[in-house]
C-alpha cells in the first residue's frame, strides 16, 4: 500500500463512513446462528477493514463482545481502552516493535474504546467474537471521558 493515499484506499477497499468516525467495510461474517450468546444466537465472528485519516477519531464506544484490532498499513494508531468504570490505557498499534508498538490490541467485551491515527492515515482490521451487531453498539455522548459516570445504556 506504499504510495496510496487514504482516499485511494477508501475507494479500492469499498469503505463507507462509520457512525463512530472513519470508514469501514465488513469483510467477513460467520453464518448466523453459529454461536449461542446471551439467550440468543449470532454469528461466531465478524471482521472489518477500518480506516482513520489524520484528524478523524473513532469516538468512545463499547460493544458486548471482545474485539481484536490488527494494524495493516499507514501510521501507527493510538487505541484507548477503558473498563466500564475505570480510566483509559493507551496502546499504540503499528509495526515498530522496538518502539513499543504492537500489531494487535484487544478490547474486552463491555470496555470503552477509542482510536485515532498518529499520522496521515491508519488502516486496521477489527475482528469481533461473537459477531458484531449494531444493536450491541453503544456510542458515548460528546465529551465523555472514561472514569466519569457511564452513559445510560452502556454495555
Amino acid at each position: 500500500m506504499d504510495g496510496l493515499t487514504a482516499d485511494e484506499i477508501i475507494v479500492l477497499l469499498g469503505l463507507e463512513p462509520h457512525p463512530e468516525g472513519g470508514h469501514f467495510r465488513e469483510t467477513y461474517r460467520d453464518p448466523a446462528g453459529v454461536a449461542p450468546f446471551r439467550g440468543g444466537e449470532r454469528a461466531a465472528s465478524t471482521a472489518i477493514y477500518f480506516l482513520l485519516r489524520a484528524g478523524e477519531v473513532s469516538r468512545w464506544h463499547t460493544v458486548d463482545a471482545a474485539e481484536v484490532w490488527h494494524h495493516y498499513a499507514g501510521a501507527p494508531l493510538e487505541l484507548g481502552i477503558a473498563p466500564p468504570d475505570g480510566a483509559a490505557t493507551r496502546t499504540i498499534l503499528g509495526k515498530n516493535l522496538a518502539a513499543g508498538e504492537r500489531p494487535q490490541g484487544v478490547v474486552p467485551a463491555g470496555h470503552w474504546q477509542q482510536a485515532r491515527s498518529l499520522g496521515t492515515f491508519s488502516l486496521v482490521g477489527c475482528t469481533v467474537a461473537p459477531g458484531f451487531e449494531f444493536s450491541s453498539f453503544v456510542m458515548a455522548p460528546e465529551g465523555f471521558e472514561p472514569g466519569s459516570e457511564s452513559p445510560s445504556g452502556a454495555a
Side-chain angles (χ1 to χ4, degrees), residues 32-88:
V34 173
F37 187 69
R38 296 188 181 174
E41 292 184 335
R42 66 200 239 193
S45 67
T46 55
I48 65 168
Y49 291 130
F50 186 67
L51 185 140
L52 288 169
R53 293 182 284 207
E56 292 180 328
V57 175
S58 166
R59 289 183 38 202
W60 285 109
H61 65 282
T62 185
V63 297
D64 66 349
E67 184 165 355
V68 181
W69 290 63
H70 316 264
H71 186 271
Y72 295 144
L77 179 120
E78 181 185 75
L79 178 62
I81 303 168
D85 296 317

Side-chain angles (χ1 to χ4, degrees), residues 5 13 39 57 62 75 78 97 112 126 130 132 139 142-143:
T5 67
L13 294 179
V57 175
T62 185
E78 181 185 75
L97 302 181
W112 291 103
C126 298
F132 177 83
M139 192 154 30
E142 290 287 338

